[in-house]
Amino acid sequence: MMSIWKDIYGFFFPSFCVSCDERLSTQEDYLCLYCLATLPRTLSHLYRQTPLEQVFWGRMPIERAVSFFYHEGESTKQIIWQMKYNSRPKLGGYIAQLYAREIIDSGFFDGIDIIIPVPLTWRKTLRRGYNQTHYIAEGISKVTGIPVVTNAVKKTKDTASQTNFNRLERLDNVDNVFRLIRPDIVRNKHILLVDDVLTTGATLCSLGKAIMSGAEGVRFSVLTLSLAGSLKGMPYTSKNDAMGE
Ligand SMILES: [Zn+2]
């Protein structure tokens, strides 16, 4: 929109920061500059063999894993809640583009063939009206040019919300809920799995397992916007600190 019209539109229909609820200037989208600058970034793309990657060791062939920010404080929780439950799916795409631009020069995306967002069951997609992880994947694709694949894996069973489960219960809860339906698309590919929040890695491991069960030669990288649970306060120096949960 031309800037003068944007100014006039913004005067009559002001928008507000999804994180702190302050009124946005016409130069700002979704997040105010303050919230954007003070996001608790993990900077995980600058490190190798982080606790974040180690979560997947022995469970699937993992190349790299990153998260944009720590899931802490009201501000970051608001961002995820808004995109997930408050009909702001485009917010996920917007944040994902920001993140992809911040890390693309680190080489994180090099060699990745396709992006697969964690699927929802059709029932849940229908109820919510959208799958937020698709939007996150599309945002990354827009910046990197890597294609998004949404027809290779299906989620066949609804899972209970993971929030009140411990690690073992979480693993059990998400086991065998995904099914690979197009092995031809994923065979021998380096796949970027995308989700909104990483807590224990149970969902992503279950998805990885389903893909590996029907296709050879796959390897994975992982990208989530938010990093929660015990991985949250991870120091990058000691692997034992973050592995126990
Ligand atoms: Zn703000």
Side-chain angles (χ1 to χ4, degrees):
M1 220 186 303
M2 253 164 61
S3 128
I4 181 150
W5 293 116
K6 209 173 167 187
D7 284 344
I8 294 169
Y9 183 87
F11 179 80
F12 289 107
F13 305 100
S15 39
F16 299 89
C17 174
V18 292
S19 179
C20 71
D21 219 22
E22 285 291 319
R23 191 170 163 165
L24 294 177
S25 79
T26 49
Q27 271 72 48
E28 296 165 331
D29 276 318
Y30 296 104
L31 281 171
C32 72
L33 285 176
Y34 176 80
C35 287
L36 190 59
T38 56
L39 265 183
R41 289 169 169 74
T42 73
L43 301 181
S44 46
H45 63 289
L46 300 177
Y47 300 82
R48 284 291 171 267
Q49 309 202 335
T50 61
L52 178 48
E53 281 178 21
Q54 288 163 6
V55 164
F56 300 99
W57 285 7
R59 300 160 88 182
M60 57 194 216
I62 185 84
E63 302 259 332
R64 302 181 282 273
V66 289
S67 288
F68 191 3
F69 49 80
Y70 295 111
H71 200 61
E72 61 185 17
E74 266 321 294
S75 54
T76 55
K77 286 179 185 160
Q78 264 304 319
I79 296 174
I80 298 296
W81 187 84
Q82 294 273 353
M83 78 175 69
K84 225 168 159 165
Y85 302 109
N86 204 28
S87 304
R88 306 290 293 270
K90 285 186 180 160
L91 170 62
Y94 176 77
I95 305 267
Q97 280 188 59
L98 285 179
Y99 187 40
R101 272 190 226 112
E102 284 192 16
I103 67 172
I104 192 164
D105 288 339
S106 73
F108 175 80
F109 298 106
D110 294 358
I112 294 174
D113 300 302
I114 53 172
I115 305 173
I116 296 188
V118 172
L120 292 176
T121 58
W122 64 266
R123 199 176 294 118
K124 200 165 232 176
T125 310
L126 206 63
R127 200 182 320 142
R128 197 175 284 169
Y130 61 92
N131 179 355
Q132 76 280 2
T133 61
H134 285 185
Y135 285 85
I136 298 171
E138 290 295 347
I140 295 160
S141 179
K142 212 173 247 180
V143 176
T144 60
I146 303 167
V148 177
V149 170
T150 55
N151 61 345
V153 195
K154 243 177 40 187
K155 191 174 186 197
T156 51
K157 237 190 297 181
D158 266 324
T159 36
S161 166
Q162 297 271 68
T163 319
N164 296 316
F165 291 173
N166 66 31
R167 185 183 165 117
L168 279 176
E169 287 168 336
R170 277 169 185 258
L171 281 172
D172 202 35
N173 183 38
V174 295
D175 214 21
N176 300 318
V177 296
F178 299 106
R179 204 172 68 224
L180 179 67
I181 43 178
R182 291 290 304 271
D184 56 307
I185 301 180
V186 297
R187 192 168 294 129
N188 294 319
K189 294 281 196 308
H190 180 180
I191 305 164
L192 180 65
L193 301 179
V194 165
D195 206 355
D196 45 12
V197 183
L198 177 75
T199 307
T200 62
T203 304
L204 288 163
C205 284
S206 175
L207 177 59
K209 203 171 120 189
I211 294 171
M212 285 187 292
S213 73
E216 301 119 48
V218 289
R219 46 215 199 287
F220 301 98
S221 286
V222 163
L223 182 152
T224 70
L225 297 184
S226 184
L227 182 61
S230 68
L231 289 168
K232 208 165 67 178
M234 60 181 183
Y236 286 98
T237 46
S238 159
K239 93 179 189 196
N240 294 327
D241 284 347
M243 287 305 277
E245 181 167 321

